[in-house]
Amino acid sequence: MTDTPPDRLAINPKSPFHDSALLERGIGVRFKGSERTDVDEYCISEGWIRAALGKKVDRKGNSLTIKLNGDVEVWFLDAGKTVDDAADDAVATPE
């Protein structure tokens, strides 16, 4: 796998930009200088994110989102580690 996140990614499985393998690695998003954890979709080249509006949902149960424009930075949270490597680091036994 590459260490560069895609230009556009969405967490909604119905979206054509959804990729579950990349989402399992973990994606970090910084928008206008602050890290965001409520991002549903982002596009680096166009400079926007789509974020949830609290716990509000539409009549079909989908969360309501708002599109915000600004500088977007994206990175993988695992930084090249696999899920097993991260679990091994977290459960290190003292000698």
Side-chain angles (χ1 to χ4, degrees):
M1 285 191 151
T2 179
D3 287 335
T4 306
D7 179 57
R8 188 168 177 179
L9 187 64
I11 62 170
N12 184 354
K14 295 178 183 178
S15 172
F17 300 104
H18 176 79
D19 189 348
S20 60
L22 292 175
L23 291 172
E24 287 177 7
R25 288 185 68 182
I27 300 286
V29 178
R30 183 174 293 124
F31 179 70
K32 291 186 178 179
S34 63
E35 290 188 31
R36 301 284 300 249
T37 58
D38 62 344
V39 177
D40 287 347
E41 185 175 1
Y42 71 82
C43 183
I44 299 171
S45 62
E46 295 177 12
W48 57 264
I49 64 169
R50 192 168 295 278
L53 275 174
K55 296 182 179 181
K56 297 181 187 248
V57 294
D58 65 4
R59 64 180 179 219
K60 295 181 182 178
N62 301 320
S63 65
L64 292 178
T65 60
I66 186 169
K67 186 175 179 181
L68 303 170
N69 295 315
D71 295 331
V72 180
E73 298 174 44
V74 182
W75 65 93
F76 286 114
L77 294 177
D78 65 359
K81 291 184 178 182
T82 63
V83 174
D84 294 332
D85 292 339
D88 290 342
D89 291 344
V91 186
T93 57
E95 295 181 18

